[in-house]
Amino acid sequence: MNIILSNATDEPIYAQIARQIREQIWSGSLASGAPLPSIRQLAKDLRISVITTKRAYEELEKEGLIDSVVGKGSFVAGVSPALLRERRLRRVEELLEEAVGDSRALGMGLDELVGLLAILYENGGSEHE
């Protein structure tokens, strides 16, 4: 599992961890049942607080993406591909709603927004890929 933390963002560290694990689950890089590093091991590997890694795992557990078993560790939950796709689709909708709100606040028209989206899509997406 590869997690890269950045100090050059406003995103909290626990959220960066949760986002990257979430994306690896959604992409299939982390399959159902795959073990995750222990909270302590991940904290040690990333050189961060155990509290921070615990918060990231708790967030993912609330979303139903991971299961934690006392004494055994944390594992990718057995989530169906259809459910994962639906959750990811909802996330895309949320991001697009935010983009529409921001573009309206800037006075952008629909054609301009669609054009910008097309350019971004053709150039490969976002920095999170």
Side-chain angles (χ1 to χ4, degrees):
M1 184 170 67
N2 188 22
I3 295 178
I4 299 168
L5 300 178
S6 172
N7 292 325
T9 178
D10 291 337
E11 185 180 28
I13 293 173
Y14 81 89
Q16 290 180 49
I17 296 167
R19 175 180 46 78
Q20 290 178 54
I21 293 173
R22 184 182 304 111
E23 288 171 354
Q24 290 178 44
I25 292 170
W26 284 345
S27 73
S29 300
L30 288 173
S32 291
L36 298 175
S38 72
I39 290 171
R40 289 185 189 278
Q41 185 61 52
L42 185 58
K44 181 179 174 188
D45 292 347
L46 297 175
R47 297 183 182 146
I48 59 172
S49 165
V50 170
I51 295 168
T52 303
T53 55
K54 185 175 190 303
R55 186 167 178 190
Y57 276 28
E58 286 173 346
E59 183 173 309
L60 293 166
E61 199 166 1
K62 284 179 191 172
E63 293 175 23
L65 293 175
I66 69 171
D67 295 317
S68 296
V69 180
V70 176
K72 301 260 187 199
S74 297
F75 304 86
V76 175
V79 182
S80 75
L83 183 58
L84 283 177
R85 186 182 191 294
E86 187 61 33
R87 287 182 180 168
R88 195 154 194 197
L89 183 58
R90 180 64 196 136
R91 173 79 173 128
V92 169
E93 288 173 4
E94 290 169 357
L95 292 170
L96 287 173
E97 285 173 357
E98 184 178 338
V100 166
D102 288 349
S103 66
R104 283 185 173 156
L106 288 171
M108 290 176 67
L110 179 59
D111 290 342
E112 190 177 1
L113 178 61
V114 169
L116 178 58
L117 179 60
I119 291 168
L120 293 172
Y121 189 85
E122 292 300 320
N123 287 332
S126 72
E127 76 273 9
H128 299 302
E129 283 192 53

